């Protein structure tokens, strides 16, 4: 037997509250997401140089993603736990399939063409990996010992390496960090964390040694985009001009000159934050960051309130990964991180990342709205 | 279901988790603070700077491709030059209607459909804001015609640049190689940043082997542009670093002598400076004109080259693999002495053929009635086959393989060029692994006279000859003079065993016999020795292209030209103080002494004259 709970947050009995509650929707989180999504239309309208087609497509994609979120919120978190291994295994098999297709199709491939739509298995692993690690660690006593650590690291490495091979370094990094976040929340000893970081650091020169000259050049460009001002560096230089010229208060909506005249490439996708910063200035940026922070706070609150180890670890990891998304994208656009293909969550146009993100929020809502009342 | 929801041992686990949540939250706050600090820096401190840059929406970055290094011969004559050329370039992003523009340009400048198609391919592969060439090497008239209408073509412009030119054409085509348009394959492996704005890459020869050095480092310029995206002012520039100028060891006059001497034959001439290993001539005939490749050779012209019977695209020096024939004999003889299989003065009787015990198969000597009683000196001077059949059998294939491999047979020389062929010197293991069959004594017999499985490249032959002349001190062939070519990064090749363990007196004996090849009345190359002012040591060779049946005789005049024997010749001079080693292969030239010998003589004559002249 499980008991549905209405908790302290919303004691109101308005009919709309009732409906949302019946839908297993967490209202503060829902409102936060809605607000950011609404803002995304405003920015996209400007970034796409007022292209309504783009807005319609973005709208359709958002609806689909929100629908999926609501569906997942209905699922009992126990089911997530139960299907963790299956989902993970399935995802890895699909990754291998994609890789083989790439080998036979003579070229890099990330997609699995299912005829009616193209599916990107690496997106699925963004959720399946933390689920798997959370399940694996929750089956053992916390904090994880060295044996569990080794197991978890292997489980993280399999999808990460497969995705990195595609090659999709951005996604690989997100998958790895979502898995690592679970380990962190499970209370992995600081000793291991420090040793692990040191080991990774020490591994770099070894890997470097085995690279070809041209591969080294790629890595150098990746780390120092300014060295390739016509490629990745071009993005960075233009994006810095856009952001800097925005100043404190911004040039105003639809007034960004950099993106309009096509100086800023990928202005509606990965570099959309630059458009926003140019139009709304420092105040706007702080506002957007605050909005993101509010969503993150709610997510962390949800993981705090979660009632079993699995839910806690999964919720913690999903919340943290959401932050990583925000940080990596903005960090790249403002030139403090290397350029990797990570979109600004909920705002960037295109890709399947929006669906994946909202699926994650669906799981968080499910975890929160299926708690039972504890005897106090 | 609810069983799973019971909280097991939760107090401790929850506490750990809550601690971590707090840690994570603090981390998140710190990192967000970092973002805000950086944003504040860009938008408050940097605002003025960036606002100026953004004012005219006007910063465009363009690559500044470096000037490719020039290639000189040893005397500073230019073998690969850069000449000015005008290129018509398009930036798709700035063109309102690309198809319309292409059509108009095609009419205006008479551009072929093939070129337009190539351009479309390039557009697909490049970024939209990249400048892509449509037409290379515009004539002055074409430049003038376009400049008149230039304002009506936004995003289209003419760029003055330098392109490769090979003044000596086919003469050095195989050693210098050529540059061509970067293709899809190369796009993946070339360092992206360094090749922006470069359309050419070395495809073969020196141009390919020293690509990194010749290319140099790309710079870039930040231009302020007007609304039509044309540059009006330079904001910031980072100059390119030009490629390294290469000085080769090659001597273009000597190369020409060698190439001309080969006239009438397909073949190769290699000459090596024994003292240094520097390659003096590297002639592969026929060559081809590399200049059309620079601008994209037409499919028809390329097909003609590829299908030509004389294979002009084939680098015979580096990749031609020929049976060495009798040119192998001095090395087999030296093996015999070193392994104690025979003494220099030991005599054998040559009746004109040789039979293995219990076999009726006759291994014939080129002299039908035989050479009579011969010692090693006679066997080399007269090129007696029977002597070497017997010697090979005494030595055995294992010893021969071990010894000849040290002279570089069956291995790449490691010259500073790419795609070298290794040739082949057979061994028991090779036959077992590759041919899946046991080694037969008959195969040892014919290996002794350089027939059978053995294959050598002309370069290998020259290297082995130079090493022999150098009394076993291995001569490592190379083309780029590292001292003169400042800043070359390619590391030099060092030979595996720098000095071969051979006895000087044995080498002297072999060299004396090789001198007799040219200077004694019974030598197979005595004709070229007449009136020679210096002493040359040499060996002739004739390599069978097809096998004469047991009952038949080889008659040069009765067989088709392309089935005739290859003529080979190795030589070095002066014999007492060797300066130059030469290997000549004239395909289907018949007898080595008659055809290949005079070619080698011309090269050596000229080189020794040059050395004497520069000494004065």
């Amino acid at each position: 037997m499980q008991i549905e709970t209405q908790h302290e947050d919303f004691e109101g009995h308005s009919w709309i509250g009732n409906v949302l509650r019946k839908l297993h929707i967490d209202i503060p989180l829902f409102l936060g997401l809605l607000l950011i999504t609404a803002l995304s239309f405003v920015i996209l309208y400007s970034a796409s140089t007022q292209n309504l087609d783009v807005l319609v497509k973005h709208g359709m994609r958002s609806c689909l993603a929100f629908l999926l979120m609501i569906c997942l919120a209905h699922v009992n978190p126990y089911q997530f736990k139960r299907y963790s291994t299956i989902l993970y295994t399935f995802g890895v098999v699909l990754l291998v399939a994609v890789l083989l297709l790439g080998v036979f199709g003579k070229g890099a491939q990330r997609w699995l063409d299912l005829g009616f739509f193209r599916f990107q298995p690496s997106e699925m692993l963004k959720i399946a990996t933390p689920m798997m690690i959370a399940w694996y660690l929750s089956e053992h006593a916390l904090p994880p010992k060295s044996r569990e650590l080794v197991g978890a690291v292997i489980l993280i490495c399999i999808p990460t390496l497969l995705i990195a091979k595609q090659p999709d370094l951005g996604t690989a990094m997100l998958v790895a960090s979502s898995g690592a976040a679970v380990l962190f929340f499970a209370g992995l000893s600081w000793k291991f964390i420090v040793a692990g970081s040191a080991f990774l650091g020490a591994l770099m020169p070894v890997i470097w040694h085995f690279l070809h000259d041209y591969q080294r050049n790629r890595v150098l460009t990746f780390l120092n985009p300014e060295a390739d001002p016509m490629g990745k560096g071009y993005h960075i230089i233009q994006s810095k001009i856009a952001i800097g010229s925005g100043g404190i208060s911004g040039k105003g909506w639809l007034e960004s000159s950099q993106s309009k005249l096509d100086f800023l490439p990928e202005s509606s996708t990965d570099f959309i934050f630059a458009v926003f910063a140019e139009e709304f200035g420092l105040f706007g940026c702080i506002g957007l960051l605050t909005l993101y922070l509010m969503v993150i706070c709610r997510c962390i609150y949800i993981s705090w309130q979660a009632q079993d180890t699995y839910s806690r670890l999964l919720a913690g990891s999903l919340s943290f990964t959401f932050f990583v998304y925000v940080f990596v994208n903005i960090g790249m656009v403002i030139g403090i991180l290397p350029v990797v293909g990570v979109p600004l969550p909920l705002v960037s146009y295109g890709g399947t990342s929006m669906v994946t993100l909202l699926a994650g929020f669906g799981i968080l809502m499910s975890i929160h709205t299926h708690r039972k009342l504890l005897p106090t | 279901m609810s069983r799973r929801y019971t909280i097991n041992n939760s107090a401790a686990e929850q506490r750990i988790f809550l601690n971590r949540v707090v840690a994570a939250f603090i981390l998140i706050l710190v990192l967000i603070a970092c973002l805000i600090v950086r944003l504040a820096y860009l938008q408050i401190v940097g605002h003025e700077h960036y606002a100026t840059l953004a004012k005219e929406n006007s910063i465009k970055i363009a690559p500044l491709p470096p000037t490719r290094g020039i290639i000189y011969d040893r005397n500073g004559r230019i073998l690969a030059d850069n000449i000015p050329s005008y290129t018509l370039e398009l930036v798709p992003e700035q063109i309102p209607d690309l198809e319309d523009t292409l059509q108009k340009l095609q009419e205006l400048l008479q551009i072929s459909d093939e070129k337009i198609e190539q351009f479309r391919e390039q557009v697909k592969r490049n970024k939209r804001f990249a400048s892509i060439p449509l037409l290379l090497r515009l004539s002055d008239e074409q430049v003038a015609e376009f400049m008149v209408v230039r304002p009506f073509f936004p995003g289209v412009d003419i760029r003055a640049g330098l392109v490769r030119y090979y003044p000596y054409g086919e003469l050095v085509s195989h050693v210098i190689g050529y540059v061509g348009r970067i293709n899809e394959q190369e796009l993946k492996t070339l360092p992206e940043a360094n090749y922006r704005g470069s359309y050419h890459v070395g495809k073969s020869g020196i141009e390919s082997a020293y690509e990194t050095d010749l290319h140099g480092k790309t710079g870039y310029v930040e231009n302020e542009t007007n609304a039509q995206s044309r540059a009006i002012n330079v904001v910031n520039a980072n100059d390119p670093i030009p490629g390294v100028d290469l000085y080769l060891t090659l001597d273009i006059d000597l190369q020409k002598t060698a190439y001309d001497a080969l006239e009438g034959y397909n073949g190769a001439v290699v000459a090596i400076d024994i003292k240094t290993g520097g390659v003096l001539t590297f002639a592969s005939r026929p060559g081809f004109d590399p200049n059309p490749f620079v601008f994209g050779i037409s499919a028809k012209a390329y097909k003609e080259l590829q299908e030509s019977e004389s294979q002009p695209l084939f680098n015979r020096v580096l990749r031609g693999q020929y049976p060495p024939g009798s040119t192998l004999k001095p090395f087999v003889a030296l093996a015999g002495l070193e392994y104690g299989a025979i003494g220099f003065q030991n005599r054998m009787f040559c009746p004109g053929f040789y039979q293995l015990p219990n076999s009726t198969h006759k291994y014939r000597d080129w002299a039908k009635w035989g050479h009579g009683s011969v010692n090693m000196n006679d066997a080399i001077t007269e090129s007696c086959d029977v002597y070497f059949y017997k010697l090979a059998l005494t030595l055995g294939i294992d010893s021969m393989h071990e010894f000849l491999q040290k002279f570089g047979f069956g291995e790449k020389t490691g010259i500073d060029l790419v795609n070298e062929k290794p040739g082949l010197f057979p061994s028991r293991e090779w036959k077992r692994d590759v041919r899946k069959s046991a080694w037969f004594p008959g195969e040892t017999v014919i290996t002794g006279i350089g027939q059978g499985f053995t294959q050598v490249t002309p370069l290998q032959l020259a290297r082995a000859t130079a090493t022999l002349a150098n009394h076993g001190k291995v001569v490592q062939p190379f083309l780029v003079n590292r001292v003169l070519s400042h800043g070359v990064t390619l590391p030099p090749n060092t030979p595996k065993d720098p000095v071969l363990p051979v006895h000087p007196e044995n080498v002297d004996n072999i060299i004396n016999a090789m001198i007799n090849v040219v200077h004694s009345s019974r030598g197979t190359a005595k004709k070229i020795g007449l009136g020679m002012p210096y002493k040359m040591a040499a060996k002739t060779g004739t390599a069978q292209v097809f096998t004469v049946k047991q009952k038949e005789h080889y008659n040069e005049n009765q067989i088709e030209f392309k089935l005739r024997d290859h003529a080979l010749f190795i030589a070095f001079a002066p014999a007492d103080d060797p300066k130059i080693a030469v290997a000549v292969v004239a395909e289907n030239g018949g007898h080595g002494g008659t055809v290949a010998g005079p070619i080698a003589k011309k090269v050596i004559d000229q080189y020794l004259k040059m050395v004497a002249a520069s000494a004065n």
Side-chain angles (χ1 to χ4, degrees), chain A residues 76-77 142 184 187-188 214 217-218 228-230 238 243-245 247 257 261 263 277 282 307 309 312 334, chain B residues 5 7 13 16-17 20-21 25 31-32 38 42-43 47 57 59 61 129 188-193 196 220:
Chain A
N76 190 307
L142 295 187
F184 176 77
L188 182 67
Y214 76 87
N217 273 321
R218 293 267 155 99
D228 182 10
M230 290 298 291
Q238 294 300 342
I243 295 169
S245 65
S257 58
L261 287 168
F263 281 97
L282 183 59
Q307 288 176 330
T309 307
R312 235 176 252 143
I334 64 181
Chain B
Y5 265 66
I7 295 155
E13 293 195 356
I16 295 172
F17 178 75
R20 287 303 162 96
V21 166
F25 190 66
L31 290 178
I32 286 188
R38 169 72 175 176
L42 288 177
Q43 300 190 306
H47 175 64
N57 313 308
I59 302 302
I61 299 163
F129 54 86
K188 283 183 191 151
T189 52
L190 288 172
E192 220 179 335
R196 294 192 191 286
Y220 63 91

Side-chain angles (χ1 to χ4, degrees), chain A residues 34-75:
Chain A
L34 221 49
L35 219 58
I36 298 179
T37 309
L39 192 58
S40 78
F41 283 92
V42 176
I43 309 171
L44 252 183
Y45 184 65
S46 170
S48 65
T49 52
Q50 293 147 52
N51 185 340
L52 283 175
D53 252 16
V54 167
L55 286 195
V56 170
K57 277 189 193 150
H58 187 64
M60 274 159 56
R61 205 173 275 128
S62 311
C63 285
L64 188 78
F66 270 90
L67 215 64
L68 179 68
M69 176 179 81
I70 293 169
C71 290
L72 285 176
H74 263 84
V75 179

Side-chain angles (χ1 to χ4, degrees), chain A residues 183-195:
Chain A
L183 272 168
F184 176 77
F185 285 116
L188 182 67
S189 152
W190 288 104
K191 212 168 57 195
F192 282 128
I193 294 173
V194 172

Side-chain angles (χ1 to χ4, degrees), chain B residues 304-437:
Chain B
E304 255 167 47
L305 280 175
Q306 263 194 323
E307 288 174 357
S308 162
E309 191 128 351
S310 58
Q311 293 182 281
L313 295 177
F314 182 44
N315 188 336
R316 289 172 161 82
V317 175
L318 198 64
R319 295 173 58 80
Q321 303 188 102
Y322 305 90
S326 303
T327 56
L328 196 69
K329 285 176 183 170
F331 304 97
V332 175
L334 184 58
L337 296 177
E338 290 293 328
Y339 282 86
I342 199 164
F344 188 69
Q345 295 302 343
N346 288 14
R347 292 196 162 268
M348 279 187 208
F349 185 74
C350 165
F353 63 89
Y354 175 74
Q355 278 173 303
L356 281 167
N358 309 321
S359 165
T360 56
H361 185 97
K362 284 185 176 176
Y363 296 94
R364 285 182 286 213
D365 196 287
W366 66 271
K368 202 173 172 193
W369 308 112
H371 299 273
S373 168
V374 288
N375 63 11
M376 188 177 279
N377 177 55
D378 305 334
I380 292 176
T381 309
E382 301 171 27
S383 202
C384 169
D385 290 335
V386 171
Y387 180 94
F388 282 97
Y389 290 147
K390 289 183 184 169
L391 175 57
L393 212 57
T394 319
L395 268 168
I397 185 65
D398 299 327
S399 308
M400 270 201 287
H401 178 258
E402 182 187 53
F403 187 81
L404 286 161
Q405 210 176 20
K406 287 184 190 154
F407 273 87
F409 291 104
E411 283 176 1
K412 293 182 182 180
T413 64
I415 191 172
D416 42 357
L417 289 175
V418 287
N419 291 331
E420 184 179 3
K421 284 272 189 195
L424 173 69
F425 196 87
S427 67
R428 235 179 263 281
E429 291 75 34
W430 168 81
K431 181 121 192 262
R432 193 188 56 218
D433 295 345
V434 179
R435 293 293 177 99
K436 311 272 180 245
S437 134

